[in-house]
Amino acid sequence: MQKVFDDIGIAVPKVLLPKAGTDFTKWAVVACDQYTSQPEYWEAVDSLTANAPSTGKLILPEVWLEKPDVGTRIEKINLTMRDYLDKGVFADARDAFILVDRKTSHVPSRKGLMVAMDLEHYEYSKGTQALCRATEGTVIERLPPRIRIRENASLELPHIMVLIDDPDHTVIEPLFKEKLEVAYDFTLMQNSGSIRGWYIDKAEHVERVGNALAGLSSREHYEEKYDVSGGGVLLYAVGDGNHSLASAKAHWENVKKTLSPFETAEHPARFALVELVNVHDEGLIFEPIHRVLFGVDASHLTTSMKRFYQSEGSQVKLDRLADATHVAAEVRSRQSRHTHVFAQVSEDGAFIIEVENPSRTLEAATLQAFLDEFMADMPKHA
């Protein structure tokens, strides 16, 4: 690694890109966890890239995870990685962040920054206080095949998006004002849009990124912003590719057991390539994920919800709405810094639930914590 920022858990990665003349449209493919119910998509990828170097030959699409030949596929991936290195598919490696601008059919621009994440600062276990944390449950059973690829991999190319909360646009956005060297600019296959990338390797630009992230991670800034005290600072939230990052972490923990303390400092397995994206980027669109419960008594649900949050020291207000048509607008109008608001809609009507002084930072976490306990207790009420 050219530069490691120990306090903010990232490093400048050593980046390998295909040499000039490579068909980048065939080189780049979508994340391995996409089109899991559409094997024909990945069959089309195989056909398009049959006679060209491609990352499609270096990843294991999840659509094939349960196939009996998964072991053979993994072995072929590892062999192809070594073959690409031996045959000069890549240009010389560069120590650099990569600034990214992605265009899709949904948004004209989504900006990001490719960095190396220090896995010593990442945890996926529930309740962790690490600097980088998972935002969804990790299915441990999905990790072994990914770990098996990493165990003998010569290259790393995960699809991982890590979110930062930067409303003042201090980390990524200022880089677009600089005169930078283009790393790539091409159209993505199968109507996936286009992507541009620039090298961020000048010392002044690298240091600026580090300083901006350090500002976001200062305890004073964190506690004031989120109105919390104590606990670990959350700087990075895994937005996509959680299982890829969890696999990297599990592999690193296995490798670390074989190393001396001196060897662990900059061992390649300690780092994973991720894309930092600002949650305030206009190209990052969040769609609501509704929770649907079946076979549940609605009145019992609301009573249990109120009891649960009150037991945690929160105040709870339930309001019945005369009309459920504008539930979303009503929820938004009641949101505030110290109140989490969500709606419950059933055959009994629509309710707005306001949880004042919640014990969790995110509304989704406030709701899910109750639902997890409620569903675990369901047999007792069935």
Side-chain angles (χ1 to χ4, degrees):
M1 297 292 167
Q2 179 194 47
K3 171 88 175 169
V4 178
F5 295 89
D6 289 317
D7 55 337
I8 53 172
I10 65 166
V12 176
K14 188 175 292 293
V15 177
L16 278 173
L17 292 174
K19 63 186 179 183
T22 301
D23 186 338
F24 273 67
T25 298
K26 293 182 179 181
W27 172 258
V29 301
V30 297
C32 60
D33 61 351
Q34 301 298 298
Y35 300 99
T36 55
S37 61
Q38 297 169 262
E40 62 273 12
Y41 176 90
W42 290 104
E43 290 167 356
V45 171
D46 290 343
S47 178
L48 287 167
T49 63
N51 300 312
S54 174
T55 55
K57 300 171 184 177
L58 306 178
I59 66 171
L60 178 63
E62 289 190 2
V63 68
W64 312 128
L65 271 180
E66 305 301 324
K67 299 296 182 181
D69 66 343
V70 66
T72 302
R73 288 179 181 273
I74 291 174
E75 183 178 353
K76 186 175 181 180
I77 287 170
N78 292 146
L79 289 172
T80 303
M81 287 181 176
R82 291 193 287 271
D83 186 57
Y84 281 6
L85 288 168
D86 292 341
K87 292 185 176 179
V89 169
F90 299 101
D92 292 340
R94 292 273 295 266
D95 292 320
F97 295 138
I98 300 290
L99 185 65
V100 177
D101 191 3
R102 170 82 185 275
K103 178 182 179 180
T104 73
S105 58
H106 302 288
V107 296
S109 174
R110 192 203 73 207
K111 300 173 176 62
L113 185 69
M114 303 298 299
V115 305
M117 178 64 63
D118 185 350
L119 296 170
E120 287 292 290
H121 289 276
Y122 161 72
E123 293 288 348
Y124 56 82
S125 56
K126 188 175 182 179
T128 179
Q129 295 296 299
L131 200 64
C132 179
R133 307 173 200 174
T135 54
E136 62 180 71
T138 303
V139 182
I140 303 300
E141 293 76 17
R142 292 172 63 184
L143 302 186
R146 306 261 173 245
I147 297 172
R148 286 172 61 190
I149 293 175
R150 282 184 169 272
E151 286 174 341
N152 297 299
S154 307
L155 302 169
E156 189 213 31
L157 60 159
H159 299 79
I160 300 169
M161 179 189 293
V162 172
L163 305 176
I164 57 174
D165 186 1
D166 184 19
D168 295 326
H169 305 285
T170 63
V171 179
I172 299 170
E173 292 79 4
L175 295 170
F176 283 91
K177 299 176 182 179
E178 302 294 336
K179 187 174 181 179
L180 305 170
E181 180 184 351
V182 175
Y184 47 76
D185 185 354
F186 62 97
T187 300
L188 296 160
M189 69 167 66
Q190 303 210 72
N191 301 313
S192 294
S194 60
I195 191 167
R196 293 180 293 168
W198 297 264
Y199 291 109
I200 304 296
D201 53 4
K202 292 183 179 180
E204 60 185 286
H205 297 154
V206 171
E207 289 296 333
R208 185 192 301 167
V209 169
N211 292 335
L213 286 169
L216 293 180
S217 66
S218 74
R219 176 161 295 281
E220 182 181 5
H221 170 86
Y222 178 77
E223 294 187 349
E224 179 181 357
K225 182 175 183 179
Y226 298 108
D227 194 27
V228 297
S229 61
V233 171
L234 170 60
L235 178 58
Y236 310 108
V238 183
D240 198 12
N242 178 61
H243 287 86
S244 291
L245 195 56
S247 299
K249 174 70 172 183
H251 174 57
W252 165 237
E253 292 299 326
N254 291 335
V255 170
K256 190 164 61 171
K257 296 173 184 176
T258 69
L259 305 175
S260 68
F262 176 77
E263 292 174 310
T264 64
E266 295 186 11
H267 193 282
R270 176 172 171 163
F271 301 87
L273 194 66
V274 306
E275 180 185 2
L276 297 184
V277 177
N278 186 1
V279 293
H280 300 278
D281 188 286
E282 293 182 356
L284 189 63
I285 301 174
F286 288 92
E287 298 288 351
I289 301 176
H290 303 290
R291 275 67 169 178
V292 182
L293 279 66
F294 298 92
V296 172
D297 180 85
S299 61
H300 173 62
L301 180 68
T302 51
T303 300
S304 299
M305 186 181 296
K306 188 172 184 178
R307 185 185 308 119
F308 175 82
Y309 294 126
Q310 288 176 337
S311 72
E312 294 192 330
S314 299
Q315 296 76 49
V316 184
K317 181 180 178 181
L318 301 176
D319 278 347
R320 178 187 290 273
L321 298 180
D323 181 8
T325 305
H326 303 293
V327 164
E330 186 66 27
V331 168
R332 286 194 295 270
S333 71
R334 300 192 185 202
Q335 289 173 324
S336 69
R337 184 174 184 180
H338 301 290
T339 303
H340 285 174
V341 185
F342 35 86
Q344 174 187 320
V345 181
S346 71
E347 60 184 6
D348 291 347
F351 290 86
I352 295 293
I353 298 97
E354 297 181 53
V355 182
E356 297 180 2
N357 300 313
S359 59
R360 296 166 184 84
T361 303
L362 302 177
E363 282 173 308
T366 295
L367 174 60
Q368 194 61 50
F370 160 69
L371 290 177
D372 288 344
E373 181 169 297
F374 182 82
M375 295 306 295
D377 209 31
M378 269 292 289
K380 299 178 184 179
H381 303 287

